[in-house]
Amino acid sequence: MIPFLNLQALHAPHHEAYHLRLQHILDQGQFILGEEVARFEKSFAEFCGAPYAIGVGNGLDAITLTLRGYQQLGKLQPGDHVLVPANTFIASIIGIREAGMVPVLVEPDPETYNLSTKDLEKYLSSKVRAIMVVHLYGQLAPMEELIAFAEKHQLLLLEDAAQGHGLPKVGNHTQTYSFYPGKNLGALGDAGAVITHDDNLYTVLKQLRNYGSDQKYHNELPGVNSRLDPLQAAFLSVRLPFVKPENEQRRAIAKRYTAEINHPLIKTPSIADYNRHVFHLYVVRCAQRDALQKYLLEKGIETLIHYPIPPHKQGAFPELYHLQLPLTEQLHREVLSLPMSPLLTDEEVSYIIQTLNAF
């Protein structure tokens, strides 16, 4: 069996380093925030090309707290509308809702599945105050166009970069990250971060994640408990130097998939620039998706579906059921994620390609 992603094997080379970091934490006795979190925040900010990183409990909290932070600074208000891709992971939608704002679901570009400026104006209203860009599957959205659009319409632009660890940074917009174990930079549990150039937002987010406090028992804001755990910060610090070389391995695998998968029923992704994609996922489309997935599993190849149900059809959001989003719904019926891991061997990649072409 070729697994979709073998996390045990991915982390195996780092066991000794993990144990050393764990021992250091035990010896030091700092179990909330502290040295390990500060070290990772500094390293991750440098990795992202930004002055500040704020570690939080998970990627969903990163989104919610960022929106709440901008509300605290007066740049957004509860009830404001936020443009967001309709085909994103549901956390993007939940984060907007948890911040007391209204998601406006936008059909994606039919080729890249990312947000684009084409037809984007039709979603505007006097209530729309922000755009949340999602770098879906690890491909950078057309930031230059989206930045110009946001500036033209005086909208705040945010990036949900949960799948985009290591993407080139275009502009100085705040980015939210998830370190869910399956990400290109994955923790050994839940973890997240916000990257920002905004001094004021940095100060507010440090408070919001810690009960609204930056001094014990002095609570300036109605915050929450969403602090990056020192143990996860330590593990992430071990893994961080490997992200860029592993992203290069992912690109090499993706180039082979794109060049060698040749089947009339299987559509490979549209990739304008491999340097603007980190291939968190390599997603193909097939009208016979379920049959293809069953066939691949019978041949010893594990695949996953990202995502089988679009957000506007989820039971959590009955008020969105009325939306007509035919492209989003088609994508969710047809997408299939192939194995994508820096551990895949040339022989395994060849077998996956050959098996797909024989479908």
Side-chain angles (χ1 to χ4, degrees):
M1 175 66 69
I2 299 176
F4 177 77
L5 176 62
N6 187 336
L7 287 176
Q8 294 94 326
L10 186 67
H11 288 285
H14 308 298
H15 283 188
E16 183 177 354
Y18 290 160
H19 284 294
L20 288 172
R21 289 297 179 97
L22 170 60
Q23 189 62 54
H24 176 73
I25 290 172
L26 292 172
D27 293 342
Q28 185 191 49
Q30 180 71 59
F31 304 129
I32 298 292
L33 296 176
E35 172 190 312
E36 290 290 350
V37 172
R39 178 189 293 115
F40 174 71
E41 287 175 333
K42 182 176 185 296
S43 297
F44 190 61
E46 292 173 354
F47 176 83
C48 294
Y52 303 119
I54 306 96
V56 296
N58 53 70
L60 172 58
D61 285 355
I63 294 171
T64 305
L65 293 179
T66 296
L67 292 170
R68 285 191 56 198
Y70 276 123
Q71 291 174 19
Q72 195 67 40
L73 295 172
K75 295 185 178 182
L76 294 173
Q77 301 293 331
D80 284 348
H81 290 203
V82 181
L83 302 181
V84 62
N87 59 317
T88 185
F89 179 56
I90 201 167
S92 307
I93 313 300
I94 294 175
I96 294 169
R97 292 286 298 274
E98 284 296 298
M101 303 176 76
V102 179
V104 177
L105 275 57
V106 176
E107 287 273 59
D109 180 90
E111 291 299 316
T112 66
Y113 317 143
N114 267 330
L115 201 63
S116 77
T117 56
K118 183 182 179 182
D119 298 327
L120 195 56
E121 286 193 1
K122 73 180 184 182
Y123 295 93
L124 292 177
S125 72
S126 60
K127 295 181 178 181
V128 172
R129 300 302 306 145
I131 303 175
M132 181 176 291
V133 180
V134 180
H135 304 305
L136 194 68
Y137 308 148
Q139 180 158 221
L140 189 73
M143 289 300 297
E144 294 86 353
E145 299 171 19
L146 290 164
I147 290 169
F149 183 91
E151 290 176 349
K152 176 183 176 181
H153 296 283
Q154 297 183 304
L155 303 176
L156 185 68
L157 190 148
L158 308 169
E159 298 178 56
D160 177 350
Q163 301 182 20
H165 307 85
L167 282 175
K169 198 163 191 340
V170 180
N172 294 333
H173 304 91
T174 298
Q175 299 173 312
T176 63
Y177 283 89
S178 165
F179 303 119
Y180 182 79
K183 305 297 187 187
N184 292 31
L185 176 59
L188 303 189
D190 275 317
V194 180
I195 289 290
T196 189
H197 288 71
D198 188 322
D199 297 355
N200 294 323
L201 182 65
Y202 172 66
T203 299
V204 167
L205 287 177
K206 284 201 301 177
Q207 293 175 317
L208 285 175
R209 73 173 178 184
N210 188 34
Y211 297 102
S213 169
D214 55 16
Q215 181 182 351
K216 195 168 185 178
Y217 302 131
H218 292 258
N219 306 86
E220 303 298 327
L221 302 173
V224 299
N225 178 359
S226 183
R227 301 171 294 216
L228 176 61
D229 187 271
L231 191 57
Q232 297 302 338
F235 295 153
L236 288 165
S237 291
V238 171
R239 286 279 299 128
L240 183 58
F242 297 89
V243 174
K244 287 185 178 179
E246 288 179 359
N247 282 350
E248 288 303 319
Q249 291 174 276
R250 291 171 178 270
R251 288 187 179 107
I253 293 165
K255 287 177 181 178
R256 284 202 60 195
Y257 278 158
T258 303
E260 299 177 40
I261 293 173
N262 182 20
H263 193 293
L265 297 180
I266 300 172
K267 177 178 171 55
T268 56
S270 175
I271 303 158
D273 185 346
Y274 279 83
N275 292 321
R276 293 164 69 99
H277 204 316
V278 294
F279 294 99
H280 169 57
L281 300 171
Y282 188 95
V283 181
V284 298
R285 286 175 62 185
C286 180
Q288 300 178 26
R289 190 266 309 282
D290 294 344
L292 176 60
Q293 184 178 41
K294 181 174 183 291
Y295 159 79
L296 291 172
L297 187 60
E298 290 170 349
K299 297 295 184 179
I301 300 169
E302 182 184 26
T303 59
L304 294 180
I305 299 171
H306 296 88
Y307 305 96
I309 304 172
H312 69 288
K313 296 297 183 184
Q314 295 282 2
F317 304 125
E319 70 277 15
L320 300 179
Y321 287 176
H322 70 281
L323 294 177
Q324 300 296 313
L325 300 165
L327 176 57
T328 292
E329 292 168 20
Q330 182 181 9
L331 289 174
H332 284 71
R333 290 193 302 269
E334 295 182 354
V335 293
L336 186 67
S337 300
L338 303 183
M340 174 52 72
S341 162
L343 301 178
L344 283 173
T345 66
D346 288 342
E347 292 75 18
E348 288 173 328
V349 174
S350 294
Y351 177 71
I352 292 166
I353 292 167
Q354 292 164 7
T355 306
L356 282 164
N357 288 339
F359 174 62

